[in-house]
Amino acid sequence: MWYKYYVYSRYDWKTDIPLNSRANTANKKGADILISNHYNAIGSSQAWQSRVKGLLVLRTKNASSKSIRLGKLAVKHLEKDINYEYSYGLMRDVDMSGFTLAILRQTNMPAILIEYGFMDYEKEAKLMLDKKHQKKCAEAVAKAVCEYFGVTYVAKKSEVKNTDDKPQVASKTKYLRIIADSVNIHSSADFNSSSVVGEVKKGDVYTIAQKIERTGTDMYKLKSGVYITASTKYVEVFER
């Protein structure tokens, strides 16, 4: 992909990764943005509480305008796609905790932290274990990332059920290989210089989502949502 984004999510619960290490890892990767994913709680979680619930997205004190924009987009898509009982929206970390958060303060790129709900609020705790709910949250954040970078979000096509007794032959996936030294990629299906969002190099391979027929040279829409020329002088297509 052409944009690097670092999604921090601690998955090894036997090891508590030091705060400095988390920020340093993101900085070393040279990410363009960072999203730190969490579940919230207000107490010891020894008993269910019923007062505090909902979505919270944090940005640090004196955050850049890019961090604020990323946070607002995350809130917008999560509120739209997830039926939250309550949303705190985008807030400063210092206003919620009394101090700034290292993962947001020490990173070099635009960064936000998302609290997807409260572990000690029973209804949200149950949702956290729901695979469909987890997928919805991930897709909502993916939409926010795509909008932030100005590329089209491409939803995964649902599986088509077989309605007869005939065996279904799976269609082959089409791929595109770059054969020129470098080729521009675009945010829309045109060749205007204003739509150029980056370039790809010779030998790179990408998944084709759709062919766009145009007056003149056609274009391919790639799985990542960007567009590229269909000219055989620059690319070759193959299936597997």
Side-chain angles (χ1 to χ4, degrees), residues 107-119:
T107 41
N108 299 329
M109 69 293 297
I112 59 172
L113 184 149
I114 304 175
E115 301 276 11
Y116 292 90
F118 284 77
M119 293 181 288

Side-chain angles (χ1 to χ4, degrees), residues 44 47 59 69 82 95-96 104 132 148 150 158 174 223 238:
S44 62
R59 52 94 169 182
R69 179 169 176 265
I82 312 298
D95 294 331
M96 291 300 295
L104 303 181
K132 291 182 179 179
Y148 177 88
S158 58
K174 289 188 176 182
K223 188 177 181 180
F238 63 96

Side-chain angles (χ1 to χ4, degrees), residues 19-239:
L19 298 180
N20 287 342
S21 296
R22 303 175 194 180
N24 289 338
T25 298
N27 291 334
K28 288 179 181 178
K29 287 182 179 291
D32 291 307
I33 62 172
L34 176 141
I35 300 173
S36 185
N37 295 308
H38 299 262
Y39 288 130
N40 218 335
I42 64 168
S44 62
S45 298
Q46 294 179 349
W48 299 119
Q49 57 88 17
S50 59
R51 297 181 297 108
V52 185
K53 54 200 171 187
L55 169 71
L56 171 63
V57 180
L58 293 172
R59 52 94 169 182
T60 195
K61 180 182 179 181
N62 300 324
S64 68
S65 59
K66 291 181 178 180
S67 292
I68 294 172
R69 179 169 176 265
L70 178 61
K72 288 182 177 179
L73 289 173
V75 170
K76 182 183 82 169
H77 286 283
L78 283 164
E79 287 182 343
K80 179 181 177 182
D81 292 359
I82 312 298
N83 187 27
Y84 280 104
E85 291 184 59
Y86 184 80
S87 172
Y88 296 86
L90 176 65
M91 298 189 69
R92 299 194 312 171
D93 51 5
V94 68
D95 294 331
M96 291 300 295
S97 59
F99 51 85
T100 58
L101 300 176
I103 192 67
L104 303 181
R105 182 183 68 248
Q106 296 177 359
T107 41
N108 299 329
M109 69 293 297
I112 59 172
L113 184 149
I114 304 175
E115 301 276 11
Y116 292 90
F118 284 77
M119 293 181 288
D120 47 3
Y121 181 63
E122 185 175 10
K123 183 176 180 180
E124 290 179 351
K126 290 179 178 178
L127 279 175
M128 292 172 191
L129 301 175
D130 187 325
K131 296 295 184 181
K132 291 182 179 179
H133 176 76
Q134 294 171 11
K135 183 179 179 182
K136 280 186 177 181
C137 290
E139 289 175 341
V141 175
K143 291 176 184 177
V145 171
C146 287
E147 185 171 349
Y148 177 88
F149 285 119
V151 299
T152 304
Y153 174 78
V154 180
K156 182 179 179 181
K157 293 182 179 180
S158 58
E159 294 183 1
V160 179
K161 294 183 177 179
N162 186 6
T163 56
D164 54 34
D165 295 328
K166 296 180 180 180
Q168 298 293 304
V169 178
S171 59
K172 294 183 178 180
T173 301
K174 289 188 176 182
Y175 298 91
L176 173 151
R177 181 184 290 110
I178 308 301
I179 58 175
D181 289 338
S182 64
V183 181
N184 287 337
I185 52 173
H186 299 259
S187 60
S188 56
D190 60 63
F191 292 103
N192 295 333
S193 59
S194 60
S195 70
V196 176
V197 292
E199 64 177 26
V200 291
K201 301 296 183 181
K202 186 174 183 178
D204 291 347
V205 175
Y206 304 98
T207 304
I208 296 174
Q210 181 184 359
K211 185 173 183 179
I212 309 297
E213 295 184 357
R214 302 175 67 260
T215 301
T217 304
D218 294 339
M219 299 189 80
Y220 289 117
K221 182 177 183 180
L222 303 183
K223 188 177 181 180
S224 58
V226 297
Y227 297 81
I228 193 169
T229 179
S231 171
T232 55
K233 292 193 302 182
Y234 302 100
V235 301
E236 64 179 6
V237 176
F238 63 96
E239 296 180 345

